[in-house]
Each structure stands twice: as C-alpha cells, then as structure tokens.
Amino acid sequence: QVQLVESGGGLVQAGGSLRLSCAASGLAFSTYGMAWFRQAPGKEREFVAVVNWSGDSTRYADSVKGRLTISRDNAKNTVYLQMNSLKPEDTAVYYCAAGAFRTTSSEFGAWGQGTQVTVSS
C-alpha cells in the first residue's frame, strides 16, 4: 500500500530553519506530483508548495515564497521542504501528499500522517 512518512518537524525560534522530509513507498514515485500542505489549529488545511514529477517545476503559496523551498530526489523516493526565516504563523502540522501538479487538496489521493512544526516568537 502507499505510505508517505514525514519527518523533521520540531520546535524552532522565529527566524530559524527546519528541513522536512517525506519518504514514499508503494507508488511509482517519479510519476507523481508531490506537495506539502499545512493545517494550523482551528484553520483549514492549506496549500504550501508542489513540485512536478521531474523536479524542474514548482509552485508556492504567496505566504511562503522566498522562504520555503520544495525539492525531490526520485532516486530516494523522497520529497523535501526546506524552511528558512520561519515565522510564528508558520506553526502548523505539515502534510506530504502525492498526486497531480496542482494546488488543491482534492487533486491528491495519498497523504502522510503529518509532522508538527512550532515556531516560537
């Protein structure tokens, strides 16, 4: 079965950095768009970033442009989210998803369990 396992979350001070990883198995990883979404307490899940199957095209939410970078390594079946200049409003559970090169959650059929990112002020 398809499994997406996130790691790398934690507690960091504002201005700091984290690198999230998502290891995929049970799917033809290199044929899928891969994305990161996040959900803060009391809010709906929102799009963060997506990368196409080859890694040469990306899209970002306006709120994270210039600070977060999505990338993938198809040899390792892994997608990454490098998070720099973190802000308290980045605090959320971050989810990895596999699907199309799109920005809406309905385009993604496989999801990880999520990893908590907490940014203190």
Side-chain angles (χ1 to χ4, degrees):
Q1 71 278 21
V2 175
Q3 280 195 316
L4 302 176
V5 180
E6 302 98 335
S7 61
L11 173 63
V12 63
Q13 288 188 332
S17 298
L18 283 174
R19 188 194 196 202
L20 306 184
S21 300
C22 171
S25 60
L27 76 167
F29 180 78
S30 63
T31 68
Y32 282 83
M34 296 297 297
W36 290 93
F37 288 78
R38 67 187 182 186
Q39 187 166 18
K43 295 187 177 181
E44 294 188 353
R45 189 173 297 188
E46 66 174 359
F47 166 76
V48 174
V50 63
V51 61
N52 74 335
W53 67 273
S54 64
D56 61 2
S57 292
T58 57
R59 297 178 68 181
Y60 295 92
D62 288 343
S63 59
V64 307
K65 282 180 181 177
R67 301 187 299 115
L68 276 58
T69 303
I70 190 170
S71 62
R72 67 189 297 160
D73 185 338
N74 286 344
K76 295 182 178 180
N77 283 8
T78 301
V79 62
Y80 305 97
L81 186 68
Q82 178 65 44
M83 310 172 70
N84 298 330
S85 302
L86 283 163
K87 304 176 181 180
E89 51 263 44
D90 293 317
T91 295
V93 177
Y94 283 72
Y95 296 92
C96 169
F101 185 53
R102 297 289 188 269
T103 62
T104 53
S105 58
S106 61
E107 299 284 352
F108 296 84
W111 293 81
Q113 82 289 349
T115 186
Q116 176 71 47
V117 171
T118 303
V119 184
S120 63
S121 57

